[in-house]
Amino acid sequence: MYNLETIIEELMEESLRNSAKSYLSRGQFDIAKELYFKLLKVQKRLLVLDKDYYGSLVVKTLNSLAQIYKEENSYTLAIKYYKHAIFIMEKMLNNDERTDFSILAQNYTSIGNLYRVEYKYEEAEYFYDKALSIYNGLSFDKYKMEILSIYNYLSIICDEQNKFKETKDAYMGALNIYQSLVTDESDDYQSELAMTLYKLASLYFRHNRVNKAGEVYILALEILLYLHQKEPIGYRATIASTFYHLGKIYTTQHEYVDGLSAYRASLNYYIELADENLLDYGSYVAMIFKDLASYYLSQNKMDMAEYFHFKLVNLYKELTLYNEYKYSLKLASTIIDGVRFYGQHTLSLYEAEIIIQSYMTEDIDDLLEEIECLRYEKIPVC
């Protein structure tokens, strides 16, 4: 039965709850925390009246405290209160009708997020997986955006841990949702779908699944080129990278015509980008010049190989004007390659030597030794 003391405590509980919520909404965290701690004591005393009802209110109070500590960047305390709320919710699971499983999943996700920003990836992965296991038992359509968010976070942290299967599974889960969000009437989520395909393809590529990487890059490219027609600026770098990786894949598979076509398409995009921002994209143009020179050299097409070699030397000379430290040794090494592979005059080695001797790094000894060997090899026999 209710008595006067119980009625007063219920009124106090409601008053404290409303006041704490008000201070929280205004960002007055110290006062809000003090009120929530007082509220927690009252709610715990009222548990004897209705364990499920007041248990759910205790969970809300603990989550509010966790939210405050999160805002204050006190992640350890935020995790502590989220876990305390989870402990109570799991004890209430026997009464499915009054247990909000989505809140339990949200708490697991919140803990995962906090561990993620602290770079504790294994812990984050564990709590994300716990959240997914709950969401999988709920309505997919209702919670698919929450599920999508978890898959996107999992793809990042699993990739950071070099977990191929887990990263791939996260990308596949995200792709499944993005495909359900794409419609014929709207381009919404097309960009996200394309970028997820691109990331999945790059994952396959890094792990030497080149056939699968090629298939997925082509799927990504189809969407990217469509989006590029509507928004020419936003997708050039990703399209350039996609063509570049396809060029690498095709040449590895000895499909040289397709490989060269992909390389040249990539080069066109990167040159356009480099014309606008040489510092950010010049290195990508150099990378393709180097690959094309190597390709033509392997085919014994010396004129084309040397053409791209000279293009690379000139580009490095330009880039050293902006970042000498980053590009000077690459320029010197490329000049040395000209003597080694293309029979260029050894006088150019003096230029490389001057560049190299201005650096005091471990790499220069090998380069200087290389120069001496080339000079010795090129000495004419009397």
Side-chain angles (χ1 to χ4, degrees):
M1 285 185 62
Y2 275 72
N3 54 38
L4 181 59
E5 184 179 344
T6 301
I7 293 171
I8 292 172
E9 291 228 300
E10 286 186 325
L11 291 171
M12 186 186 302
E13 190 278 336
E14 185 177 0
S15 176
L16 285 168
R17 180 156 36 93
N18 291 332
S19 296
K21 185 177 179 181
S22 176
Y23 281 109
L24 175 60
S25 67
R26 297 201 296 268
Q28 295 178 265
F29 295 146
D30 288 340
I31 300 174
K33 272 191 292 187
E34 184 180 344
L35 291 171
Y36 276 125
F37 283 125
K38 289 180 180 178
L39 173 62
L40 205 53
K41 292 179 181 178
V42 177
Q43 288 172 337
K44 286 181 177 179
R45 289 198 296 269
L46 290 169
L47 281 173
V48 295
L49 297 179
D50 189 332
K51 183 181 291 186
D52 290 325
Y53 175 71
Y54 284 104
S56 66
L57 291 180
V58 168
V59 166
K60 289 180 180 179
T61 302
L62 291 168
N63 281 341
S64 295
L65 283 166
Q67 181 185 344
I68 292 171
Y69 283 119
K70 177 184 172 183
E71 292 293 328
E72 294 178 335
N73 296 322
S74 299
Y75 295 152
T76 301
L77 286 172
I79 290 169
K80 171 187 172 181
Y81 285 102
Y82 278 131
K83 286 183 176 179
H84 193 173
I86 287 172
F87 175 76
I88 293 172
M89 281 188 279
E90 288 181 337
K91 288 179 68 174
M92 297 165 60
L93 287 180
N94 291 331
N95 191 350
D96 290 357
E97 292 180 2
R98 301 188 67 171
T99 302
D100 191 340
F101 285 86
S102 68
I103 295 177
L104 182 58
Q106 288 167 18
N107 273 36
Y108 280 128
T109 304
S110 296
I111 294 173
N113 289 339
L114 292 171
Y115 278 128
R116 175 176 53 81
V117 298
E118 289 192 315
Y119 304 103
K120 296 178 180 178
Y121 292 143
E122 286 191 9
E123 292 91 339
E125 185 182 353
Y126 171 80
F127 282 97
Y128 284 141
D129 286 338
K130 293 283 281 185
L132 276 180
S133 67
I134 294 172
Y135 280 128
N136 287 334
L138 302 176
S139 168
F140 174 79
D141 287 336
K142 185 176 180 180
Y143 296 106
K144 63 183 173 184
M145 299 310 294
E146 287 82 356
I147 297 170
L148 175 61
S149 178
I150 293 172
Y151 278 134
N152 283 331
Y153 287 139
L154 279 171
S155 68
I156 295 169
I157 65 174
C158 291
D159 198 21
E160 285 290 328
Q161 296 175 89
N162 201 31
K163 293 182 175 181
F164 171 76
K165 182 183 181 303
E166 290 81 357
T167 307
K168 182 198 72 172
D169 289 346
Y171 281 136
M172 295 299 290
L175 283 172
N176 182 52
I177 297 175
Y178 281 132
Q179 286 171 333
S180 74
L181 293 168
V182 169
T183 65
D184 294 333
E185 293 77 27
S186 172
D187 288 336
D188 291 348
Y189 300 104
Q190 287 274 18
S191 178
E192 290 85 351
L193 176 61
M195 291 307 300
T196 305
L197 285 166
Y198 170 81
K199 291 174 184 176
L200 176 60
S202 298
L203 175 72
Y204 282 128
F205 185 86
R206 293 198 309 272
H207 288 267
N208 297 315
R209 274 76 164 180
V210 291
N211 290 335
K212 198 67 179 175
E215 293 173 9
V216 183
Y217 273 130
I218 290 171
L219 292 174
L221 187 61
E222 182 180 353
I223 302 171
L224 288 166
L225 290 173
Y226 164 75
L227 292 170
H228 177 66
Q229 289 180 330
K230 307 189 79 172
E231 188 184 336
I233 301 300
Y235 300 95
R236 290 178 299 172
T238 309
I239 292 172
S241 178
T242 304
F243 273 123
Y244 174 76
H245 284 97
L246 284 171
K248 297 281 281 188
I249 291 167
Y250 288 140
T251 51
T252 300
Q253 296 170 335
H254 306 292
E255 297 175 15
Y256 297 121
V257 173
D258 289 338
L260 285 174
S261 177
Y263 271 132
R264 290 181 182 277
S266 176
L267 187 59
N268 288 336
Y269 282 101
Y270 275 133
I271 286 175
E272 184 180 321
L273 289 162
D275 284 342
E276 299 169 8
N277 190 334
L278 183 63
L279 282 178
D280 284 349
Y281 294 102
S283 60
Y284 293 102
V285 176
M287 176 177 65
I288 298 176
F289 282 160
K290 186 174 183 178
D291 282 358
L292 286 170
S294 297
Y295 165 73
Y296 282 117
L297 184 64
S298 71
Q299 300 294 305
N300 203 31
K301 296 179 179 179
M302 301 306 293
D303 288 345
M304 289 299 297
E306 195 165 14
Y307 169 81
F308 282 107
H309 169 77
F310 280 128
K311 297 282 283 185
L312 182 59
V313 169
N314 291 333
L315 179 57
Y316 278 144
K317 284 181 178 179
E318 186 174 358
L319 287 168
T320 55
L321 298 175
Y322 296 93
N323 192 332
E324 185 178 358
Y325 180 81
K326 182 176 180 180
Y327 292 106
S328 287
L329 287 182
K330 292 181 179 180
L331 170 60
S333 181
T334 305
I335 292 170
I336 294 169
D337 286 345
V339 178
R340 183 197 295 115
F341 297 121
Y342 305 108
Q344 294 169 10
H345 201 285
T346 55
L347 284 174
S348 62
L349 294 175
Y350 287 105
E351 181 184 358
E353 195 170 33
I354 291 169
I355 295 169
I356 292 165
Q357 288 175 340
S358 66
Y359 285 83
M360 298 300 294
T361 67
E362 295 178 0
D363 300 332
I364 67 169
D365 291 338
D366 292 338
L367 289 172
L368 290 172
E369 185 178 345
E370 208 171 332
I371 288 173
E372 287 306 309
C373 290
L374 283 169
R375 281 176 175 154
Y376 180 78
E377 290 172 7
K378 300 296 181 180
I379 294 175
V381 178
C382 297

